[in-house]
Amino acid sequence: MTSANTNNTQTPKAVLEFNEVYKDYPDGDTTVHALAPTTCTIHSGEFVAVVGPSGSGKSTLLTIMGGLQKPSGGSVSLDGREYSHMSGKELARLRFDTVGFVLQSSNLVPFLTLEEQLRLRSSYAHQSFDARRATSLMQDLDIEKLRRKYPDELSGGEKQRAAICVALFGRPAVILADEPTASLDTSRAMGVADIFSRASRREGTAVVMVTHDERLLEECDRVLTIQDGHLEESTAERASQHA
Ligand SMILES: Nc1ncnc2c1ncn2[C@@H]1O[C@H](COP(=O)(O)OP(=O)(O)OP(=O)(O)O)[C@@H](O)[C@H]1O
Ligand SMILES: [Mg+2]
């Protein structure tokens, strides 16, 4: 399995590369230009925020980053592999090996408990189940007592934290999170930003997080702003105590 760089002293690796990537959606007789031609690189260990108004193209950007949909043009490399010519099966394997998703719609398996979702991930990756990591992540996210519950039995915010737990568990090279703190109160939202920040620093995971919450931006290394499908880089410094 391709995994995140676990040694942060190594040179950061480009885990996501966009070269003139754009996305058009047909809309009756017209076309929605959801993402204008975009070139950018995201490295291992970077914690990146994406901000922008509703309908500006944030989810489109994130789903293309993770290979959930292909762009209309341009090239995308995920963990060094350009995916436009891959079959659906190959791309699914690349996603599984490389990306942890926290999407706007929950990506939990409805008929599995939280712990079973983590076990399934390990068995699909042909790895033994790391019970200590599972427990420690669940404790960090304050969902340990929910380990035997099904998604239907969880509140919106609990589901969100369970999805974050599943996404982090496999030590992916990249976490793509679409408003992961939308259903959370301030202290839990800050807690999630802190967990992502730690994953990026300690495990070399690249984290790309769409958020509307300005308070989370100070945890991030970079802020990308998107407006009508146009992506721009703003500068952001992670607070010096986190460096
Ligand atoms: N499958 C689709 N078919 C047609 N148009 C789409 C499709 N998905 C998104 N769009 C359009 O593309 C544009 C960007 O949508 P996108 O979902 O990326 O926005 P967003 O920034 O994530 O918004 P929000 O903050 O509301 O989640 C919008 O104009 C939207 O209506
Ligand atoms: Mg969206």
Side-chain angles (χ1 to χ4, degrees), residues 217 220-225 232-238:
L217 300 184
C220 299
D221 302 304
R222 289 165 69 186
V223 179
L224 303 177
T225 305
E232 269 186 23
E233 183 106 26
S234 331
T235 45
E237 285 292 328
R238 191 155 17 182

Side-chain angles (χ1 to χ4, degrees), residues 18 35 82 94-95 103-104 118 122 135 139 147 151 173 219 231:
F18 265 40
L35 188 65
E82 210 280 314
L94 178 64
R95 279 199 303 265
L103 298 176
Q104 276 180 312
L118 301 179
S122 302
T135 299
Q139 282 169 345
R147 66 194 301 154
E219 290 277 355
L231 194 75

Side-chain angles (χ1 to χ4, degrees), residues 23-27 32-35 50-63 69 104 178-179 210 212 226 229:
K23 182 74 182 179
D24 294 335
Y25 294 112
D27 182 22
V32 177
H33 301 292
L35 188 65
V50 177
V51 298
S54 179
S56 57
K58 304 181 297 297
S59 296
T60 300
L61 176 77
L62 225 64
T63 50
Q69 61 171 343
Q104 276 180 312
D178 203 346
E179 297 194 48
V210 170
H212 283 119
I226 188 162

Side-chain angles (χ1 to χ4, degrees), residues 51-105:
V51 298
S54 179
S56 57
K58 304 181 297 297
S59 296
T60 300
L61 176 77
L62 225 64
T63 50
I64 295 173
M65 281 180 164
L68 286 172
Q69 61 171 343
K70 290 185 176 179
S72 306
S75 69
V76 184
S77 289
L78 191 46
D79 210 21
R81 296 180 63 196
E82 210 280 314
Y83 73 56
S84 62
H85 301 295
M86 285 186 185
S87 66
K89 202 173 162 187
E90 264 182 300
L91 185 52
R93 186 71 217 188
L94 178 64
R95 279 199 303 265
F96 178 81
D97 285 344
T98 315
V99 187
F101 288 102
V102 184
L103 298 176
Q104 276 180 312
S105 56

Side-chain angles (χ1 to χ4, degrees), residues 162-215:
I164 292 164
C165 182
V166 175
L168 282 164
F169 183 64
R171 299 183 198 274
V174 187
I175 293 266
L176 298 174
D178 203 346
E179 297 194 48
T181 62
S183 315
L184 304 182
D185 55 69
T186 301
S187 82
R188 287 205 199 282
M190 296 303 284
V192 165
D194 195 49
I195 288 167
F196 283 153
S197 176
R198 269 186 284 152
S200 68
R201 278 180 285 122
R202 293 187 190 161
E203 298 182 359
T205 310
V207 181
V208 183
M209 174 180 74
V210 170
T211 184
H212 283 119
D213 192 339
E214 301 236 325
R215 289 163 303 181

